Amino acid sequence: MNIPEELKYTEDHEWIKVEGNVATVGITDYAQGQLGDIVYVEIETEGDAIDKAEIFGTVEAVKTVSDLFMPLTGTVSKFNTKLEDEPELVNSDPYGEGWMIKIEISDESQLETLLSAAAYKEVIGE
Amino acid sequence: MEAKDIALNDVHIQLGGKMVPFAGYNMPVRYSSDIEEHKCVREKVGVFDVSHMGEFFVSGAGALNLIQKVTSNDASKLTIGQAQYSCFPNETGGIVDDLIVYKLGDDEYMLVVNASNIDKDWNWVKKQQTEDVTLTNASDAYCLFAVQGPEAIKTLQKITDVALNDIKFYTFTKGKIGGIDDVIISATGYTGEAGFELYVLAEDAKKLWAKVFEAGAEFGIQPIGLGARDTLRLEMGYCLYGNDIDDTTSPLEAGLGWITKFSKEFTNSEALKKQKEAGVSKRLVGFELNDKGIPRKDYDILNLDEKVIGRVTSGTMSPSLSKGIGMGYVEFGQHKSGTEILIAVRNKKLKATIVKLPIYKKG
């Protein structure tokens, strides 16, 4: 299982890469493996200010629909438009080309609530 | 209740199968990718371990009478070596289960039922058993492998002397395959592809599985999980019990009039006959999405005036068509193929069209 040390995580199986005031968000290798083939990523919240734990989009696998939750309060500043035609990038490169959104972080103190790689490993029972 | 392991549980884990509890059994839902496995069956050959399915044997002088009473299709039409799709109607207009009836010999039949309904079906048939009938629930004794796809026949012909070409659709024979005697080789399946279902005793199952994979290696054979089984059947518009049919849906509403034969009497046949004469109020249909998106079970179906006219019972992304497809019940009159409908997907209403079954029509 690929769980990069330098990233932060949530219990909803999202990863977060923080650079300055911007967080890049995607779903983990574990999550994509559990979901199976991702066939549709629907994110229509670009430009919206959304609270932590609220839904920012939906990811659909062949068999299942899963909501995507904001790991931090902020504004969705960018959506990975490549996923519109190539949702399978979430399977093949979850931490790279399969990223989903970028968030302009509103409250940096929330960063402390994110999980480390080691803590996420425990969440998935690794 | 703890889910039971099927006989080849270890084999599936070794193959990388993701095992999930399904209908009381730990079943492989996928080995690599649902889409890849789906395409393997459409283009090459794949093998499903569907050993969770139930097998009941019915024998004795009263066997046919009992089957005629509990099933909707006319089993008196069967000759030895023929199989028939059928259902158990209940007394309140719905369906207890759908099944396949095999005529094994004079006064000897096998009923193959859904895993999720084994206990319910067994009690249902048992309750109506007469003294001249012997009933055996052999579900745990048998494994069932479905070998499906355009290369299925070539694969299996390598390991049997039985002339597989002579086994026509919905017929079967008992023969030696992969060195194992008395395997029921049935030209049936749930994918829309050519292929066979092999009923083998659990103790011989591992050997047969290995032989099939050895024979199919040159054709690119792969194990296929329940995920792809569902997308394959849905492309064909085959009903899945618990989704498209259940205790409350009538076989006539479900488009199963062709297996509901009023030439004989059976459970609830009078009421169903009346329903047929009066006309049903809803019909099960297949549809394709014209907009991007995926329909799912329980989403509303609307007409173009945005009035709710039904509900989705099964939905998925079709790997063969690369678009959303589904089945669902709509009000009678709005069920004709070509009818434009809307599917309520979250906060959107996506355009879709009712299509004739199968949804996926082969080239």
Side-chain angles (χ1 to χ4, degrees):
Chain A
M1 192 66 57
N2 183 10
I3 305 171
E5 279 299 324
E6 67 277 17
L7 301 178
K8 297 289 184 188
Y9 299 88
T10 68
E11 289 188 358
D12 297 318
H13 309 288
E14 287 163 350
W15 58 263
I16 302 97
K17 184 179 174 188
V18 182
E19 290 165 298
N21 187 39
V22 176
T24 306
V25 179
I27 66 168
T28 64
D29 188 28
Y30 174 82
Q32 70 78 20
Q34 291 292 312
L35 291 170
D37 294 314
I38 306 295
V39 292
Y40 191 44
V41 179
E42 185 182 84
I43 297 171
E44 295 173 330
T45 47
E46 207 175 320
D48 295 358
I50 308 176
D51 283 344
K52 177 182 156 89
E54 295 294 312
I55 295 167
F56 72 83
T58 309
V59 57
E60 300 209 32
V62 174
K63 298 290 294 168
T64 51
V65 188
S66 309
D67 288 327
L68 296 164
F69 300 98
M70 289 291 274
L72 300 162
T73 298
T75 302
V76 180
S77 58
K78 217 170 173 189
F79 157 55
N80 182 3
T81 50
K82 253 193 165 177
L83 300 182
E84 288 180 342
D85 294 321
E86 297 174 83
E88 63 273 15
L89 289 173
V90 177
N91 294 115
S92 59
D93 192 9
Y95 300 113
E97 288 208 84
W99 68 275
M100 291 178 170
I101 56 167
K102 289 188 189 285
I103 302 171
E104 276 172 30
I105 304 167
S106 306
D107 179 1
E108 290 194 10
S109 72
Q110 286 181 351
L111 290 172
E112 287 164 28
T113 64
L114 301 175
L115 304 175
S116 65
Y120 180 64
K121 264 179 207 166
E122 270 180 41
V123 169
I124 60 172
E126 278 266 302
Chain B
M1 197 178 66
E2 188 86 348
K4 284 196 243 180
D5 285 343
I6 50 174
L8 267 60
N9 188 58
D10 296 348
V11 172
H12 299 304
I13 290 171
Q14 217 155 44
L15 286 165
K18 179 175 155 57
M19 307 301 285
V20 299
F22 176 84
Y25 294 83
N26 291 309
M27 298 298 294
V29 67
R30 108 172 51 91
Y31 300 86
S32 53
S33 137
D34 296 320
I35 294 174
E36 195 185 299
E37 290 167 29
H38 179 109
K39 289 185 173 167
C40 183
V41 173
R42 287 272 179 260
E43 290 159 16
K44 296 183 276 184
V45 52
V47 186
F48 305 81
D49 184 344
V50 281
S51 298
H52 59 321
M53 301 286 285
E55 292 85 11
F56 301 162
F57 290 91
V58 187
S59 61
L64 178 61
N65 275 341
L66 175 63
I67 290 168
Q68 287 291 69
K69 187 178 170 213
V70 295
T71 67
S72 61
N73 208 336
D74 188 354
S76 72
K77 297 278 195 286
L78 289 173
T79 58
I80 296 168
Q82 281 185 332
Q84 183 182 69
Y85 181 56
S86 195
C87 75
F88 297 130
N90 65 22
E91 280 152 359
T92 52
I95 299 171
V96 177
D97 200 5
D98 61 340
L99 73 155
I100 299 180
V101 180
Y102 288 82
K103 181 161 181 167
L104 303 174
D106 288 325
D107 301 329
E108 202 189 342
Y109 298 82
M110 175 171 74
L111 311 182
V112 178
V113 304
N114 283 300
S116 52
N117 291 333
I118 291 174
D119 292 342
K120 182 175 81 163
D121 293 346
W122 177 252
N123 294 336
W124 182 257
V125 178
K126 195 79 188 160
K127 205 171 70 184
Q128 303 176 72
Q129 180 180 11
T130 47
E131 275 179 14
D132 51 358
V133 177
T134 306
L135 278 174
T136 316
N137 181 353
S139 302
D140 289 338
Y142 277 85
C143 282
L144 173 57
F145 302 145
V147 184
Q148 304 275 298
E151 307 285 10
I153 192 162
K154 276 191 235 161
T155 296
L156 295 181
Q157 196 61 76
K158 285 172 68 183
I159 54 168
T160 183
D161 293 331
V162 173
L164 297 177
N165 261 320
D166 294 343
I167 307 178
K168 301 299 172 209
F169 194 51
Y170 267 78
T171 69
F172 65 95
T173 192
K174 221 174 189 183
K176 187 171 181 171
I177 184 163
I180 297 153
D181 288 317
D182 295 329
V183 176
I184 295 175
I185 306 168
S186 168
T188 47
Y190 196 45
T191 63
E193 295 299 325
F196 294 88
E197 294 185 300
L198 307 175
Y199 294 87
V200 59
L201 285 171
E203 56 258 38
D204 297 324
K206 213 172 237 182
K207 183 178 166 195
L208 179 59
W209 177 271
K211 291 278 181 194
V212 170
F213 276 82
E214 206 178 290
E218 63 174 298
F219 305 112
I221 200 165
Q222 281 182 35
I224 313 296
L226 292 185
R229 185 171 168 81
D230 190 51
T231 54
L232 286 157
R233 70 94 193 167
L234 189 45
E235 284 186 345
M236 299 312 295
Y238 297 154
C239 290
L240 172 64
Y241 192 88
N243 278 41
D244 314 300
I245 50 176
D246 61 27
D247 292 304
T248 68
T249 58
S250 118
L252 302 172
E253 293 167 343
L256 299 178
W258 63 283
I259 61 163
T260 308
K261 297 290 166 62
F262 297 111
S263 50
K264 58 157 206 173
E265 273 182 29
F266 58 90
T267 309
N268 207 37
S269 58
E270 291 248 324
L272 288 171
K273 200 172 178 182
K274 275 184 197 147
Q275 186 182 44
K276 188 183 178 181
E277 285 158 6
V280 293
S281 58
K282 58 178 182 176
R283 271 299 299 265
L284 185 64
V285 297
F287 60 86
E288 283 181 10
L289 253 63
N290 308 319
D291 284 335
K292 203 169 167 175
I294 303 162
R296 305 285 182 183
K297 185 172 168 20
D298 295 333
Y299 287 1
D300 280 338
I301 302 175
L302 303 86
N303 63 15
L304 294 184
D305 297 329
E306 303 201 355
K307 176 182 167 282
V308 176
I309 56 164
R311 195 173 50 84
V312 176
T313 51
S314 288
T316 188
M317 204 281 301
S318 159
S320 302
L321 301 169
S322 296
K323 58 171 133 177
I325 60 168
M327 295 208 287
Y329 286 91
V330 298
E331 289 172 8
F332 189 88
Q334 315 219 37
H335 69 286
K336 297 205 171 64
S337 57
T339 305
E340 306 269 321
I341 52 172
L342 300 170
I343 309 294
V345 178
R346 293 184 284 281
N347 55 348
K348 288 192 230 167
K349 296 179 180 75
L350 303 180
K351 288 194 188 97
T353 307
I354 294 174
V355 296
K356 274 207 179 82
L357 301 181
I359 299 171
Y360 169 64
K361 291 132 189 119
K362 262 206 136 172

